[in-house]
Amino acid sequence: MKKENCLFCNLANGVFATNTVYEDENFRVILDIAPAAKGHCIVLPKEHFDDALTADPEILGKAMAVAAKTGNALMKAYNCQGINIVQNNGAAAGQTVFHLHIHVIPRFDNDGLVLNKAGQNETDENLAIIAKEVAAAF
């Protein structure tokens, strides 16, 4: 279902003009208007889901397949050395538009782009405690 006041629903469904690079019955892939790198694309489901945690699992799987297809197209178009596939859930994780979307970003050796930082090493004991806490939440 499309949400009328959702910018990404409107972009995905052709209400607003986009620089579309791919489209099928479930998705539209557009260029990001504030790209992290040349060719940075966004995979947009035409149906509204706030994020991956609330999305229909079938659509979520198809979205990742479209992201992979987009990554392969970017590799072919730009001969890049890698691809970031990024999906944020919730404001604390960096999500700014609350419509499920996946960023596909071309990467080049020594491009200087930093998307994440490594965390700190945990002790085996702490990892065992954390594993039990998360497993219990399933």
Side-chain angles (χ1 to χ4, degrees):
M1 169 187 272
K2 184 179 158 223
K3 193 173 178 182
E4 288 300 319
N5 63 346
C6 173
L7 173 63
F8 278 10
C9 278
N10 288 315
L11 293 171
N13 289 284
V15 174
F16 302 130
T18 63
N19 288 297
T20 300
V21 299
Y22 173 83
E23 183 176 10
D24 65 25
E25 64 277 0
N26 296 305
F27 300 94
R28 183 180 297 248
V29 180
I30 66 172
L31 292 178
D32 193 306
I33 62 167
K38 181 180 179 180
H40 176 169
C41 293
I42 305 174
V43 177
L44 298 171
K46 292 181 177 180
E47 188 174 349
H48 183 86
F49 301 99
D50 288 340
D51 55 35
L53 304 178
T54 61
D56 175 273
E58 184 177 338
I59 291 293
L60 193 56
K62 288 179 180 180
M64 188 54 79
V66 172
K69 180 185 277 193
T70 303
N72 285 319
L74 289 167
M75 295 283 285
K76 184 177 178 182
Y78 295 115
N79 198 31
C80 47
Q81 287 75 53
I83 297 288
N84 283 115
I85 296 177
V86 180
Q87 200 286 312
N88 302 317
N89 296 280
Q95 184 178 11
T96 58
V97 178
F98 293 88
H99 176 107
L100 171 64
H101 59 286
I102 301 173
H103 295 268
V104 185
I105 305 167
R107 297 302 303 270
F108 298 89
D109 290 337
N110 303 310
D111 63 12
L113 182 61
V114 177
L115 296 180
N116 59 7
K117 295 180 181 180
Q120 299 177 27
N121 289 335
E122 278 287 355
T123 65
D124 289 342
E125 294 81 16
N126 282 346
L127 289 173
I129 292 168
I130 293 166
K132 286 180 184 175
E133 292 170 345
V134 174
F138 275 86

